[in-house]
Amino acid sequence: MMFARLDQLMQAPVYQLPQAEKEALLLPRLNELTHWHDQHCEPFHHLMQATQAQLHATDYGDLPYVAVRLFKHRLLSSVPNDAIFKTLTSSGTTGAVSRIVLDRDSAALQSKVLVKIMQEYIGKQRLPMLLVEQPALIQNRSGFSARGAGALGLSFLGRDHHYALDEQMQPNWPVIEAFCEKYADQPVFLFGFTFMVWQCLLEPLKKRGIKLPLSKGVLFHSGGWKKLTHLAVSASDFNQRCADVLGIQQVHNFYGMVEQTGAICVTCEHGHLHTPAMADVLIRDPKTLAVLPHKQPGLIQVLSALPQSYPGHSLLTEDLGTCLGDDDCPCGRKGRYFVVHGRLPKAEVRGCSDTFR
Ligand SMILES: [Zn+2]
């Protein structure tokens, strides 16, 4: 596999490449990956032929893409079976399960990039970590659920791991108390899935009228807002509650899917999701699939320099979002930034996935 372009992207600062410079590095790498998967993944090759796709794109809009739901129907792999190091799964609400295969190189690359991105927010030192999870989820490594893999991936960034929940998904008060006694007003790292942080930690804390002394903490959460939208909890409600009951001011949401682990997008202090150097997004009209200009909502297409063991470098998601701009977020980070609105109702995605029916 050709690594030169990947090395350049890996060495680039995560958020300081202006969009034009980033595209000049990322597009050739994405073309490389299209060729690689065309040669090594038969279903992908068939898709390229059936859609008469250009294997060499001259801009993002021309890049061939795979509908993300295809991973629910087919095992898409670009490595021999004996090179598969682990398989990630994510079960959607419909019951269909996506399967993503990783070889050792891809798995290592993904954790390396995840670390690089996270260090932008928590620094290089390993911080004491409170996971809003049950210990069993992490310790049971046989079945790699997306949730387990997500938490496990991030747990490498912390030390002295404490698990805030017990087996019944209730707050484990003695553990939380011990963590706070040990690390009150020191830099700490908290991670959990958005809904679980709200339901299993922020709500119980409020009910008990407790405020934790985690003023120098950083909280990362991911997993979508759908359940919280049903409860009428907005991002600013969530952040406010974190300040009220945890004492935490620095709260980051991130967008990333099991089909494209590693190159996550993280919200800045203005609530905008930022693409790192090794990934990007564009927005397509849900009906025509034409690329939309900034500020118009549509389907999110995610691009990533990382997926080598499966054709996930250019994916059309079923998520709705809007690109807000390039290089000009008030937080100072360069590159493209966007917001996610939620899932396309009934997943009315036209296109590639029908090729395999
Ligand atoms: Zn920003």
Side-chain angles (χ1 to χ4, degrees):
M1 189 66 201
M2 307 137 286
F3 279 117
R5 297 209 162 90
L6 181 62
D7 283 347
Q8 274 180 295
L9 284 165
M10 289 295 290
Q11 280 151 25
V14 176
Y15 296 121
Q16 275 94 64
L17 279 185
Q19 186 65 17
E21 279 177 45
K22 173 169 140 182
E23 287 191 32
L25 284 175
L26 191 54
L27 187 63
R29 167 66 183 168
L30 294 167
N31 280 329
E32 240 172 39
L33 287 168
T34 304
H35 282 279
W36 169 263
H37 295 305
D38 183 58
Q39 283 161 13
H40 295 89
C41 175
E42 210 183 323
F44 184 79
H45 176 68
H46 291 158
L47 178 65
M48 293 301 97
Q49 287 193 316
T51 56
Q52 294 176 313
Q54 296 263 3
L55 294 190
H56 190 87
T58 48
D59 65 47
Y60 279 176
D62 286 343
L63 284 164
Y65 52 82
V66 172
V68 78
R69 69 154 96 154
L70 201 58
F71 289 91
K72 292 186 169 55
H73 300 300
R74 296 284 295 239
L75 186 71
L76 300 172
S77 171
S78 303
V79 289
N81 282 347
D82 59 6
I84 294 174
F85 164 62
K86 67 181 172 193
T87 303
L88 301 178
T89 58
S90 89
S91 49
T93 40
T94 55
V97 174
S98 282
R99 283 177 303 159
I100 301 304
V101 295
L102 296 178
D103 61 358
R104 280 189 186 276
D105 283 350
S106 294
L109 192 57
Q110 291 188 344
S111 3
K112 202 170 159 187
V113 168
L114 188 63
V115 168
K116 198 169 146 81
I117 294 171
M118 294 296 294
Q119 284 179 342
E120 293 282 322
Y121 300 91
I122 58 174
K124 288 203 170 169
Q125 255 191 324
R126 285 184 176 219
L127 299 178
M129 188 167 182
L130 184 65
L131 293 105
V132 189
E133 282 292 352
Q134 312 154 279
L137 180 83
I138 315 294
Q139 280 150 14
N140 174 16
R141 297 187 183 189
S142 55
F144 260 105
S145 72
R147 212 178 98 207
L152 189 64
L154 288 177
S155 67
F156 288 125
L157 293 156
R159 63 177 170 88
D160 196 13
H161 303 94
H162 286 61
Y163 295 88
L165 306 182
D166 63 20
E167 272 69 30
Q168 284 74 47
M169 304 290 279
Q170 300 296 316
N172 192 333
W173 296 114
V175 171
I176 295 171
E177 211 168 282
F179 186 82
C180 289
E181 262 174 36
K182 208 164 165 187
Y183 299 115
D185 299 314
Q186 292 177 45
V188 289
F189 176 29
L190 279 76
F191 170 73
F193 286 85
T194 309
F195 182 70
M196 285 168 57
V197 172
W198 180 264
Q199 197 72 4
C200 308
L201 187 64
L202 300 179
E203 285 281 77
L205 281 169
K206 190 180 178 206
K207 264 185 213 135
R208 290 199 167 198
I210 302 173
K211 178 169 181 173
L212 302 182
L214 303 176
S215 61
K216 288 193 180 146
V218 185
L219 169 69
F220 269 80
H221 64 101
S222 78
W225 287 98
K226 201 174 158 203
K227 287 181 180 164
L228 287 182
T229 311
H230 286 310
L231 299 176
V233 177
S234 69
S236 61
D237 297 335
F238 187 94
N239 292 356
Q240 187 57 52
R241 180 70 70 83
C242 289
D244 292 346
V245 303
L246 300 174
I248 292 184
Q249 304 290 337
Q250 205 187 333
V251 178
H252 300 283
N253 184 216
F254 69 81
Y255 177 70
M257 49 192 68
V258 65
E259 292 84 357
Q260 218 172 57
T261 326
I264 56 167
C265 300
V266 180
T267 55
C268 69
E269 53 275 32
H270 299 278
H272 302 148
L273 287 159
H274 282 269
T275 57
M278 49 296 282
D280 224 326
V281 293
L282 60 155
I283 304 292
R284 290 184 182 272
D285 184 302
K287 290 201 174 69
T288 67
L289 298 179
V291 177
L292 291 175
H294 287 355
K295 306 217 159 58
Q296 287 190 30
L299 284 176
I300 302 173
Q301 181 181 345
V302 288
L303 309 174
S304 168
L306 308 185
Q308 294 176 167
S309 53
Y310 63 97
H313 61 300
S314 172
L315 296 174
L316 187 64
T317 73
E318 295 172 359
D319 296 325
L320 292 167
T322 305
C323 278
L324 298 177
D326 292 342
D327 301 330
D328 58 0
C329 182
C331 75
R333 289 176 183 82
K334 298 292 181 205
R336 185 160 293 174
Y337 60 102
F338 66 108
V339 286
V340 177
H341 309 301
R343 197 60 65 86
L344 183 72
K346 279 282 158 202
E348 283 298 324
V349 190
R350 267 181 47 184
C352 319
S353 64
D354 296 333
T355 317
F356 289 104
R357 290 283 157 72

